Amino acid sequence: MMDGKDGKIAVIVGTVTNDDRLALCPKMDVIVGTVTNDDRLALCPKMDVCALKFSETARTRITKAGGRCITLDELALLKPTGSDCVLVQ
């Protein structure tokens, strides 16, 4: 995680992939901040990510791997109870 100039949190794609990708049950990763790309990550696995904002390169990389990028508003409609969601900080 990195603090930007304006104090908002930015999470790189590598942090999200290392968090719970080894688990057998897929979960929605929730990030209250911005998801940015990480060029050092050679392979991006399929993952579902919910965040306030995505950089264009991170969004294309996640969707190209077969994952989904959604906003917090869409998450509230898809999973109103918050089941199978992991808060990444």
Side-chain angles (χ1 to χ4, degrees):
M1 279 198 283
M2 301 172 291
D3 264 342
K5 286 190 261 181
D6 53 1
K8 294 180 184 173
I9 298 296
V11 178
I12 58 174
V13 175
T15 303
V16 178
T17 58
N18 290 335
D19 198 38
D20 68 338
R21 292 302 112 198
L22 298 177
L24 295 177
C25 55
K27 299 198 181 284
M28 175 76 67
D29 292 326
V30 180
I31 297 144
V32 184
T34 305
V35 176
T36 58
N37 190 28
D38 186 9
D39 291 330
R40 297 171 294 176
L41 186 65
L43 187 60
C44 183
K46 179 181 176 183
M47 60 182 152
D48 296 332
V49 183
C50 171
L52 285 175
K53 202 164 106 178
F54 292 90
S55 69
E56 284 301 316
T57 53
R59 183 183 298 272
T60 56
R61 191 164 189 188
I62 292 169
T63 54
K64 193 182 286 185
R68 291 188 302 172
C69 298
I70 64 171
T71 62
L72 293 174
D73 295 337
E74 294 169 332
L75 177 67
L77 295 174
L78 287 174
K79 299 184 180 199
T81 60
S83 62
D84 292 333
C85 294
V86 177
L87 184 62
V88 178
Q89 54 180 350

